[in-house]
Amino acid sequence: MNSTRLCAYCAKEGPLTREHIWPGGIIARAKGINTSYFGRLEKFIDAELTIKDVCADCNNGPLSGLDAYICHLFDTQFCHPVACRKSRTFVYDYERLLRWLLKISFNTARANDSDVGVLSNYAGFILEGGEPPSEVRVCLELIHASPNPKWSPGSNAMKEIPAASIRCARVETPADPLPGATLRLVALYGFYFWIVLTPAEVDIAALQGLPGKLLPPNKTKLSLHPSRGMLELHADWVRNPRASQSMRELRARRAR
Ligand SMILES: [Zn+2]
């Protein structure tokens, strides 16, 4: 049966390989996180999810090249904690970054069976690159550690709750500033990438209500200030019906 399935990226017939959604390099780097208190907050980590619809040529070729780029960003930038009230300059290659963000979103979407249609439109761009699609925008938000309310002198609790999770999820902002748009989040430690896919090209002004700062496609650097702490961010997640749903689904998958 598997021999009749087609690669989700190049649409050629298999053989198809089973892969983790998150690159092995990122899973290896994210290891060793102290999860004692934090475990409860790490509900959105989908590191164990696998997909089995990508051919070896795509996986070992262009897709692993994108993974290498994100591991490089991890080592040079994401791994350094975001400090409260201290600006940071994010250095990026927009095309490669966007291709990788769309890849992890597309992979997660197929495993969760949501947003597959809209994200599959970008399979070609993810594989081959080229002119970045103008109806896809990326906002970057820096999230800093929060003081742990459960901590007291002499307690075993961590003094701070660090921004130390990796996440990829579909989200809905409470205000829903862009009707018809698809909003996805990819978070790597303190770096929260909000990806907006609109039905057609939108005025940048319409993106004002989104968290973070728009990453200019024609630039390579963006200086920005951390906006929220982990606890504030988590409070928003709890109020977000779709995030709560993804939390329940992930818990159910883990219980199986
Ligand atoms: Zn392929």
Side-chain angles (χ1 to χ4, degrees):
M1 193 178 98
N2 281 339
S3 60
T4 60
R5 291 189 60 197
L6 304 177
C7 170
Y9 287 91
C10 69
K12 285 185 194 133
E13 270 188 40
L16 306 172
T17 56
R18 182 178 291 281
E19 293 293 326
H20 282 280
I21 285 179
W22 283 87
I26 293 292
I27 294 173
R29 283 166 172 79
K31 260 186 197 162
I33 297 169
N34 183 341
T35 53
S36 54
Y37 166 82
F38 216 151
R40 282 179 355 100
L41 299 187
E42 301 255 322
K43 284 159 187 142
F44 304 92
I45 287 194
D46 269 350
E48 306 97 358
L49 275 184
T50 57
I51 37 172
K52 202 192 166 188
D53 60 359
V54 184
C55 76
D57 285 350
C58 287
N59 241 330
N60 303 330
L63 299 182
S64 73
L66 295 177
D67 288 345
Y69 176 61
I70 218 70
C71 288
H72 163 74
L73 288 184
F74 194 97
D75 292 341
T76 51
Q77 302 186 76
F78 305 149
C79 72
H80 302 300
V82 171
C84 186
R85 288 193 282 277
K86 205 170 167 198
S87 0
R88 283 277 284 270
T89 299
F90 177 58
V91 181
Y92 60 96
D93 169 338
Y94 188 78
E95 189 208 311
R96 275 195 289 176
L97 175 67
L98 182 62
R99 286 167 67 197
W100 186 82
L101 291 171
L102 288 170
K103 167 185 123 74
I104 186 98
S105 300
F106 184 35
N107 283 355
T108 311
R110 297 199 310 288
N112 289 315
D113 202 14
S114 69
D115 294 338
V116 178
V118 61
L119 286 161
S120 66
N121 293 331
Y122 303 102
F125 172 68
I126 295 169
L127 267 195
E128 288 156 22
E131 186 66 30
S134 58
E135 73 282 7
V136 181
R137 309 308 290 251
V138 180
C139 294
L140 172 59
E141 181 181 18
L142 292 184
I143 301 293
H144 58 79
S146 290
N148 186 351
K150 291 188 179 168
W151 179 86
S152 58
S155 77
N156 287 328
M158 285 191 290
K159 197 169 178 181
E160 282 196 323
I161 300 164
S165 36
I166 54 170
R167 295 173 177 171
C168 183
R170 169 180 198 164
V171 283
E172 196 172 282
T173 56
D176 202 7
L178 290 167
T182 301
L183 183 61
R184 309 270 325 181
L185 168 69
V186 178
L188 292 133
Y189 286 14
F191 289 72
Y192 279 61
F193 295 95
W194 302 90
I195 303 143
V196 196
L197 303 105
T198 51
E201 196 173 337
V202 293
D203 195 329
I204 288 175
L207 304 171
Q208 293 301 320
L210 293 167
K213 210 165 158 184
L214 189 71
L215 268 187
N218 52 353
K219 300 232 166 84
T220 56
K221 279 180 190 173
L222 180 70
S223 176
L224 66 175
H225 224 69
S227 47
R228 291 184 283 176
M230 277 301 277
L231 281 186
E232 295 156 85
L233 180 89
H234 190 245
D236 273 3
W237 273 113
V238 171
R239 284 196 296 270
N240 178 326
R242 221 167 246 167
S244 310
Q245 174 68 21
S246 98
M247 191 189 293
R248 279 193 295 276
E249 286 165 5
L250 184 59
R251 214 181 276 144
R253 272 199 301 277
R254 285 187 171 178
R256 278 206 288 271

